[in-house]
Amino acid sequence: MSTSTQPTVPASRFVDELGDYLSVDELAQYLQLSKETIYHWRLEGTGPKATKLGKHLRFSRENVLSWLQARTDRR
């Protein structure tokens, strides 16, 4: 059984390469969470602010980074 390793990309560089808006899939991958968690946060109002474009949700890079900063444990 062989395992392949993918190169580690710094989180900030990953977001830079995706452009100004992230899809639910891209946000879940960036945060290393499931899409279900992103949708659950959306229903609860606890996740980053999203923009709805037609039937698609998009998360601005600025909103995601602000949301992450606000959730950073300062202990």
Side-chain angles (χ1 to χ4, degrees):
M1 179 175 169
S2 68
T3 59
S4 63
T5 59
Q6 295 182 359
T8 303
V9 178
S12 60
R13 183 169 161 221
F14 180 76
V15 173
D16 287 341
E17 290 177 359
L18 292 174
D20 291 334
Y21 286 89
L22 300 137
S23 68
V24 173
D25 287 334
E26 292 165 336
L27 180 60
Q29 183 180 4
Y30 172 64
L31 296 176
Q32 299 178 356
L33 298 168
S34 69
K35 291 189 308 185
E36 291 76 16
T37 297
I38 305 301
Y39 286 120
H40 182 74
W41 284 346
R42 172 124 170 108
L43 288 174
E44 288 185 337
T46 58
K49 292 181 183 177
T51 300
K52 193 161 187 181
L53 301 172
K55 62 180 181 176
H56 303 282
L57 290 175
R58 295 294 182 259
F59 298 85
S60 79
R61 192 175 98 178
E62 182 179 320
N63 283 347
V64 170
L65 294 176
S66 295
W67 177 80
L68 283 171
Q69 275 189 330
R71 295 181 59 87
T72 300
D73 188 358
R74 307 263 186 229
R75 289 188 234 175

